[in-house]
Amino acid sequence: MKIIGSYTFNIVAAASVLLSIATSLIGSINVFKKQSLVGDAIGHASYPGIIIAFMVSKSRSPFILLTGAALLGGAAYHLIQKSEKRTTIPLDGNLAIFLSGFFGLGMVLKTYIQGNARFARASQAGLDAYIFGQTSFLLELDLVMIAIVTLVCVLFFTLFYKEIKLYLFDREFSAVIGLPTKLMDALILVMTILVISVGLKSVGALLISSFLILPVIAAEQWSDKFFNVLVISCIMSMTSSLIGNYLSFAGEGVATGPVIVLISCIFAFLSMMFGKRSHIFGKRRES
Amino acid sequence: MIVFGEGMMKKEVVGIRNLNVSYGKKRVLSNVDLSIPDNVRCAIIGPNGAGKSTLIKAILDLIEHDAASVKVLGKPLDEVRSRIAYVAQRSNANRDFPTTVFDTVLMGRYQHLGLFKRPGRRDREIALEAIREMRMEACLDRHISQLSGGQLQRVFIARALCQDADLYILDEPLAGVDENTETIIMDTFIDLQKKGKTIIAVHHDLSTIRHYFDYLVILNEEIKSHGPVEEVFTREQVDKAFKMEIDGREDRKEWVAREDNRLVYV
Ligand SMILES: Nc1ncnc2c1ncn2[C@@H]1O[C@H](COP(=O)(O)OP(=O)(O)OP(=O)(O)O)[C@@H](O)[C@H]1O
Ligand SMILES: [Mg+2]
């Protein structure tokens, strides 16, 4: 069976490479802002958005589903922030409540429409793909959306590289010299939601946040420079994604997300063992 | 030595009218009116929890506050940001962030670079000079998580020097640094003052006030007094602000009030 070079695999490969760039950049922000878990909550919360968008529109157009995912991801984030401010529940408790609440809602709605005659005419095939990721369902339109989101992220990083660096390292200092930290928070949130939404079909709601953070954590073990970390992270992310997709294609129907994340985990594990900044075999130690 | 004669009004570097700050319902600063003149080395003193850091954060617009007016270098803060350098008390900088000592200090140049501009050769030279001044050149390429607390403080002070500002605001710059470093930092302050700059620093060691500073703000929820050190640093004034503390101190006998009512710490 010839996989590499086939039309579908070309689309998938292009989508993986682009998505890897976007997830590495946005993932680095999430890791260094110490809010990786927030990404996890947004990822899970976007799943009911897919189902609701499908129920309302009776269409599987990637654009419509993505809009639903982004809206619910944003809503969950908003609720988490509100609850964080107005209650005494700590952040991890809040994350757990909204993460499982939203994802549970998604699963309930999905089982509801599966046996429901009103939705029988609209094909539901592919809705499962958004849970674990299934790149064989990827359409050209998905690729276009991934490309646009990636372009936005790359532009953001190239134009404001030094500002982003300062903001991530020392927020208070960046505020003193006049960076619009609130605006940056908002932009970063929007980009995080967009990247997660376009990545759902490839990696799935359950594991998308791991795909954002694992390559960054792995890359961090190899360099003391932010720029190098970004580059290494992109390379690792692309590699895991390409191998993952290939294996998933070869395995006919194996969900893509888990394979990609498994390979990312292996990279992260090896980096922790042998990386220059690692604790285990690396020559340097941290305080 | 700077003389504050009557009628010789200096330009003010910080001017605050009726500043109030609360955290939730808790009032931390009330009715603060403060004017700090240009080109001084000013210490802010007061017991723990007096609101020293809060005052600095309000000046730098880092926390919500309510004030009739806050002017820095004679202007609204937003117009003079590039002329201010700042070192936080316990910097909440992310120590896991991938950045070396050199890169971190170089960040002090960012406020002078336009949007989309990268630091150039001149910026690197300035950063290197600041690192040398703080005697950190041996750690140039070290990741900042591999520094001791005092070394990290030196890096942040080097970053502030690199900011090439007119006003330096430092929240306990001497916290956790050794004696040598303390001398280096204080000599740097004197150099800066000679170049026409102003330094405002939160300070805890009352015994060195006279030696290190020439202007003083005594704070405890409100401004207890402020003015040239010789005028303000008296037992009476310090007692007012530190009341609880001094009464509870074992080493109370070490505070000696001279006949002229000046406070000496021996
Ligand atoms: N984020 C905060 N939320 C609530 N209360 C705060 C917060 N920060 C400070 N406070 C309170 O405000 C008061 C002033 O705090 P501040 O940090 O300004 O004191 P300080 O004079 O700098 O003390 P220190 O000498 O210990 O640094 C304290 O009573 C403190 O408990
Ligand atoms: Mg303080």
Side-chain angles (χ1 to χ4, degrees):
Chain A
M1 181 184 55
K2 187 168 163 4
I3 296 172
I4 294 169
S6 75
Y7 178 71
T8 357
F9 191 78
N10 280 351
I11 289 191
V12 167
S16 330
V17 168
L18 290 174
L19 186 63
S20 297
I21 296 172
T23 50
S24 294
L25 295 180
I26 296 304
S28 75
I29 292 182
N30 280 302
V31 167
F32 296 122
K33 267 187 92 179
K34 308 209 181 228
Q35 52 165 239
S36 319
L37 286 172
V38 174
D40 201 25
I42 293 176
H44 281 74
S46 57
Y47 185 65
I50 300 275
I51 306 296
I52 294 171
F54 171 79
M55 289 167 73
V56 173
S57 69
K58 299 217 169 61
S59 137
R60 279 189 303 136
S61 154
F63 184 71
I64 292 173
L65 299 191
L66 171 129
T67 309
L71 285 177
L72 274 257
Y77 179 83
H78 183 71
L79 289 174
I80 291 169
Q81 294 297 313
K82 271 263 144 58
S83 169
E84 172 80 358
K85 273 200 192 110
R86 305 235 173 120
T87 68
T88 54
I89 305 169
L91 183 62
D92 54 354
N94 272 316
L95 288 171
I97 292 169
F98 290 102
L99 181 154
S100 43
F102 273 73
F103 190 70
L105 174 69
M107 293 307 283
V108 168
L109 288 177
K110 184 182 152 276
T111 21
Y112 168 72
I113 59 173
Q114 259 168 357
N116 193 305
R118 275 175 58 216
F119 298 97
R121 290 238 309 278
S123 162
Q124 296 169 19
L127 288 183
D128 281 342
Y130 290 90
I131 303 177
F132 289 117
Q134 188 49 272
T135 32
S136 48
F137 284 102
L138 222 55
L139 306 173
E140 260 171 73
L141 184 55
D142 288 301
L143 176 60
V144 171
M145 292 191 312
I146 289 173
I148 292 172
V149 170
T150 306
L151 187 68
V152 171
C153 295
V154 170
L155 271 180
F156 181 61
F157 263 79
T158 32
L159 292 181
F160 305 112
Y161 176 72
K162 72 174 187 300
E163 284 78 11
I164 294 172
K165 193 169 145 184
L166 190 54
Y167 161 91
L168 290 177
F169 171 58
D170 194 341
R171 184 191 170 90
E172 197 174 55
F173 186 85
S174 71
V176 171
I177 72 163
L179 291 192
T181 45
K182 293 254 167 68
L183 177 66
M184 289 178 81
D185 288 342
L187 285 177
I188 283 164
L189 175 65
V190 169
M191 280 191 270
T192 305
I193 291 174
L194 284 179
V195 169
I196 286 176
S197 305
V198 295
L200 281 183
K201 210 170 187 175
S202 312
V203 191
L206 289 180
L207 294 171
I208 183 79
S209 71
S210 316
F211 187 54
L212 259 70
I213 62 172
L214 282 172
V216 181
I217 289 171
E220 209 193 340
Q221 309 302 321
W222 295 99
S223 178
D224 290 344
K225 300 240 179 219
F226 184 48
F227 186 78
N228 297 351
V229 169
L230 291 179
V231 172
I232 297 169
S233 163
C234 280
I235 294 171
M236 290 203 196
S237 183
M238 282 177 198
T239 314
S240 339
S241 178
L242 284 173
I243 298 176
N245 273 300
Y246 180 83
L247 292 180
S248 153
F249 262 71
E252 302 253 352
V254 175
T256 337
V259 186
I260 294 176
V261 169
L262 185 63
I263 296 165
S264 300
C265 273
I266 295 171
F267 274 128
F269 187 65
L270 290 176
S271 304
M272 279 154 64
M273 295 226 306
F274 301 106
K276 149 177 161 208
R277 293 192 50 211
S278 78
H279 298 251
I280 304 174
F281 297 132
K283 50 183 188 292
R284 301 210 199 166
R285 274 194 59 88
E286 289 186 45
S287 60
Chain B
M1 206 52 227
I2 297 167
V3 188
F4 299 92
E6 273 161 53
M8 179 192 151
M9 278 302 290
K10 295 202 109 212
K11 241 179 8 183
E12 71 174 10
V13 88
V14 170
I16 300 172
R17 309 280 163 268
N18 196 18
L19 167 74
N20 293 287
V21 183
S22 312
Y23 289 109
K25 286 203 181 86
K26 187 173 181 288
R27 176 65 69 93
V28 180
L29 289 177
S30 10
N31 304 318
V32 169
D33 282 300
L34 180 63
S35 168
I36 299 176
D38 190 24
N39 201 213
V40 293
R41 279 171 293 143
C42 169
I44 301 178
I45 60 169
N48 289 139
K52 304 178 295 294
S53 301
T54 305
L55 175 64
I56 283 178
K57 285 182 183 163
I59 294 172
L60 296 173
D61 199 20
L62 288 169
I63 48 166
E64 263 183 56
H65 59 274
D66 161 56
S69 96
V70 176
K71 290 258 172 72
V72 186
L73 294 161
K75 298 198 175 124
L77 178 70
D78 278 335
E79 290 173 29
V80 292
R81 284 186 188 274
S82 64
R83 295 167 60 200
I84 299 173
Y86 172 56
V87 177
Q89 180 173 10
R90 270 170 296 274
S91 170
N92 29 30
N94 179 358
R95 291 186 67 175
D96 295 325
F97 189 78
T99 178
T100 58
V101 166
F102 183 73
D103 272 348
T104 306
V105 175
L106 194 58
M107 288 180 191
R109 299 304 302 159
Y110 285 10
Q111 74 213 70
H112 300 295
L113 304 172
L115 215 52
F116 319 139
K117 288 251 168 58
R118 297 279 155 86
R121 180 135 153 237
R122 179 87 194 100
D123 299 304
R124 288 167 182 281
E125 280 167 10
I126 295 172
L128 206 56
E129 203 177 307
I131 291 171
R132 287 215 185 93
E133 207 158 326
M134 282 300 123
R135 313 274 155 90
M136 285 297 291
E137 60 269 38
C139 305
L140 224 52
D141 289 320
R142 224 190 258 184
H143 187 269
I144 52 141
S145 66
Q146 296 160 336
L147 300 178
S148 73
Q151 288 173 326
L152 189 66
Q153 181 73 350
R154 273 148 72 179
V155 169
F156 286 131
I157 291 175
R159 180 175 69 175
L161 293 178
C162 209
Q163 289 182 270
D164 195 13
D166 291 323
L167 170 61
Y168 292 79
I169 300 183
L170 306 96
D171 199 343
E172 297 194 27
L174 300 183
V177 303
D178 57 33
E179 231 170 293
N180 264 337
T181 313
E182 182 166 324
T183 315
I184 295 171
I185 294 173
M186 285 306 157
D187 288 347
T188 311
F189 284 4
I190 293 171
D191 282 348
L192 289 171
Q193 188 181 34
K194 281 184 191 143
K195 288 184 196 150
K197 322 278 187 178
T198 306
I199 296 102
I200 299 176
V202 173
H203 193 65
H204 263 301
D205 183 359
L206 297 181
S207 67
T208 52
I209 295 273
R210 282 169 185 288
H211 197 53
Y212 289 160
F213 298 95
D214 55 24
Y215 199 86
L216 186 63
V217 174
I218 304 180
L219 183 77
N220 196 358
E221 212 195 307
E222 48 192 32
I223 302 285
K224 295 297 182 187
S225 65
H226 68 106
V229 168
E230 308 91 80
E231 287 167 28
V232 173
F233 194 57
T234 61
R235 166 127 220 178
E236 217 174 56
Q237 305 277 20
V238 175
D239 261 3
K240 255 204 289 183
F242 285 80
K243 212 172 233 140
M244 304 294 289
E245 266 68 15
I246 287 190
D247 286 346
R249 277 173 84 126
E250 299 263 299
D251 58 352
R252 185 180 178 183
K253 53 188 176 301
E254 286 186 299
W255 288 97
V256 181
R258 296 191 331 213
E259 309 85 70
D260 58 356
N261 203 25
R262 301 263 166 94
L263 181 84
V264 216
Y265 190 81
V266 282

